Amino acid sequence: MMIKTLVAALIAAGTLSAQAATVSLSGNASAAVGQTFTLDVSLLQPFDGERAGDELLAFGLALSFDSSLLKLLGVSLADGWSDDSAFTGLVLSGSAFPGVVDAGQTSLALATLSFEVLGSGNTSVGVISDSASDFNQGLLYAMAPTLDVQASHALALAVPEPGSYAMMLAGLGLLSLAVRRRG
């Protein structure tokens, strides 16, 4: 009886360590105050280490960023995903029923995040899941345990160049001149 338990534990540990899917955040590495930018959230090697014929049914990821430097404008889920954020309480949450089937793909788009830059400095945007503390988090496969993932994307946020301010002031001056001529 003890040997069966030990063998089952080793098989389960091997299954967990074989999972190789990772989340990737990609996009601009820099932006200026007042600008907007997007980050694409993708799953790399979504079925590496999974059983043949497995399906990815859902994902739930917590989002972290410095709200004094960035403002989240929106989350747009990739085609094929239904927005589950209202049910899970997570900004980045989706499901696909029937699930996404292993077709040999090396990446799978999950969502696009849109941000506005509020301040300057170095910061990062991160996604993480912790299924032990919240069962809505992680990558939910049909035939495997929930997989926790994390990723971050570093950003350098700058103040606009002085030339940008000069162009803006020149434009406002021309607008005010046009308004005066009409009136």
Side-chain angles (χ1 to χ4, degrees), residues 23-32 37-40 63-66 69-70 113 115 117 119-127 150-158:
V23 170
S24 169
L25 292 170
S26 59
N28 293 341
S30 64
F37 69 93
T38 60
L39 291 176
D40 293 322
L63 184 61
S64 67
F65 61 92
D66 184 342
L69 297 176
L70 298 173
L113 307 171
F115 290 94
V117 179
S120 62
N122 293 324
T123 189
S124 66
V125 174
V127 293
Q150 66 179 21
S152 66
H153 185 80
L155 294 161
L157 307 175

Side-chain angles (χ1 to χ4, degrees), residues 129-153:
S129 64
D130 181 9
S131 59
S133 66
D134 182 351
F135 68 89
N136 291 314
Q137 293 188 22
L139 302 175
L140 178 64
Y141 289 91
M143 297 186 282
T146 300
L147 177 63
D148 285 327
V149 292
Q150 66 179 21
S152 66
H153 185 80

Side-chain angles (χ1 to χ4, degrees), residues 67-78:
S67 59
S68 68
L69 297 176
L70 298 173
K71 177 182 178 183
L72 180 65
L73 298 176
V75 175
S76 177
L77 296 182

Side-chain angles (χ1 to χ4, degrees), residues 43-134:
L43 188 57
L44 304 179
Q45 305 303 330
F47 295 98
D48 275 10
E50 301 301 327
R51 293 185 181 120
D54 204 351
E55 297 179 31
L56 179 62
L57 302 175
F59 65 90
L61 304 170
L63 184 61
S64 67
F65 61 92
D66 184 342
S67 59
S68 68
L69 297 176
L70 298 173
K71 177 182 178 183
L72 180 65
L73 298 176
V75 175
S76 177
L77 296 182
D79 289 342
W81 294 105
S82 299
D83 185 1
D84 292 342
S85 59
F87 306 113
T88 64
L90 298 166
V91 173
L92 195 51
S93 179
S95 61
F97 292 103
V100 177
V101 178
D102 180 1
Q105 59 269 54
T106 57
S107 68
L108 180 63
L110 299 179
T112 299
L113 307 171
S114 300
F115 290 94
E116 178 183 357
V117 179
L118 302 176
S120 62
N122 293 324
T123 189
S124 66
V125 174
V127 293
I128 189 167
S129 64
D130 181 9
S131 59
S133 66
D134 182 351

Side-chain angles (χ1 to χ4, degrees), residues 2-51:
M2 182 79 140
I3 293 174
K4 282 184 180 180
T5 305
L6 181 60
V7 169
L10 288 173
I11 290 171
T15 301
L16 291 175
S17 64
Q19 292 178 328
T22 57
V23 170
S24 169
L25 292 170
S26 59
N28 293 341
S30 64
V33 174
Q35 290 183 335
T36 60
F37 69 93
T38 60
L39 291 176
D40 293 322
V41 183
S42 301
L43 188 57
L44 304 179
Q45 305 303 330
F47 295 98
D48 275 10
E50 301 301 327
R51 293 185 181 120

